[in-house]
Amino acid sequence: MTNQAEVLKGIRVLDFTWSVSGATTTRILASFGAEVIKVEWPKTPDAMRFSMYAKEDEPGLDNGAFFNNLSAGKRGITLNVKSERGMELIHELLKKSDVVTENFSAGVFEKWGLDYETLEKISPGIIYKSISGLGHSGRNKKYGTWGPTAAALSGMTYTSGLPDTHPSGWGYSILDVVAGYTGAYAVMTALYHKKRTGKGQYIDISQVETAMHLTGANLLDYTVNKRSSKRPGFPPGNRSIVSKATPENSYRGQIGCPHNSYRCAGGGQNDWCTIAIFTDDEWNAFKQAIGNPIWTNYDKFNTFEGRLAHQDELDKNIESYTIERDKYEVMELLQSHRIVCGAVQMNEDLMVNDPQLRSRGLFENLQHSLLGIRSFEGIPIKMSKTQPYLKKSGPLMGEDNTYVFGTILGYSQDEIERLTNEGVLWPEDMPKDEIKAIRPLW
């Protein structure tokens, strides 16, 4: 895909991020046309390079599928920032950059001599964006987090799962993604401010704080009603409410019964569908759709109150129907009768079977020099004039050293070779073929 109206064309981002949250920010900026230069060192690379590999791929620093997706659209250089000459080159790059990003623990950039005041002196008007667990100020600024631990600190984990048991957590590292998107729109806002005023600024993002709006209903409930988010029957899990005489509002809007997930044919861990029925008319439509089996006409199921009082039995009966049928078959049938129903989807379902995502063109195919053509998660935004898109696969280690140090900074090929041999652009004691033999992180 090509697009001449790249909204961030001409913006250069010096990218020190690693893992997921920071990489998500710069991935989005790259998709809008920014030139993102990812800085790494082969001996301490971004851990995502060796975290998740595709099934048939031989593990190595340059062919990790997860890293390839996270760093799509970016350039990559290698540079020893702990060496005096390496830091000098960083200063030179900062002078030619509009944005610098990192998501280290609080204090790391300061130890490098790159606090915001210094960055502003090196490159007046620069925008500095940091993401850390709890921000760069306050009592707990030194605490480190990952996405899942940040979710726990925010309260999200505590309010998840089924009633009367331990929390389930959110499965994926959702706050890495939320913080990453927060970082992207914060940088874009700062760029707009700079365009108007000529001034840069410092953006300090706390990963834990980005979760607060996701726990808003629980916070409001405690503030107004003094109710704990862990109490008998709450959270209600997959159900709208638990079976009891005086149901509590579960912050999900309209109350339904049945309201659950049900096993379907196939026996796989994702062979489930979800069904939610909110009115007696919908219940009658459901009965008709599945052929009016005997149990659907029991008096105890004829009213909402009866269905709520007998949820366990009702769910078993519904599952006796769904377990004999494919999840998509159940979904299509019930949706055709205007019943809320969805198939529980795994990655393959989303990428191959989902007709809506396919029609929207979410996934993009890109060529990788080692992996060939692979599918990538596109940017979930549609814009009529400045559509974001992925321009290239993730960079090989040091792939763009010649371009960055030659074209941008003006060094000759001989000078770049000398910097490489002196251990500034590549470890002196690490042959380049060693990067092919790296143990997977997960």
Side-chain angles (χ1 to χ4, degrees), residues 4 42 54 135 149 192 199 204 212 225 231 288 325 327 392:
Q4 299 303 312
T149 56
Y192 179 68
K199 298 182 181 296
D204 174 15
M212 289 298 108
N225 300 319
R231 55 186 185 269
Q288 180 181 353
R325 293 161 178 81
K327 59 187 179 183
K392 61 183 289 293

Side-chain angles (χ1 to χ4, degrees), residues 52-66:
M52 302 179 196
Y53 296 93
K55 186 176 181 180
E56 304 300 329
D57 294 339
E58 181 181 354
L61 279 183
D62 280 334
N63 61 353
F66 192 48

Side-chain angles (χ1 to χ4, degrees), residues 331-349:
M331 180 184 76
E332 295 289 349
L333 173 66
L334 295 186
Q335 286 187 2
S336 70
H337 285 75
R338 306 184 69 81
I339 302 298
V340 175
C341 180
V344 174
Q345 299 192 113
M346 58 191 296
N347 293 342
E348 183 179 355
D349 292 321

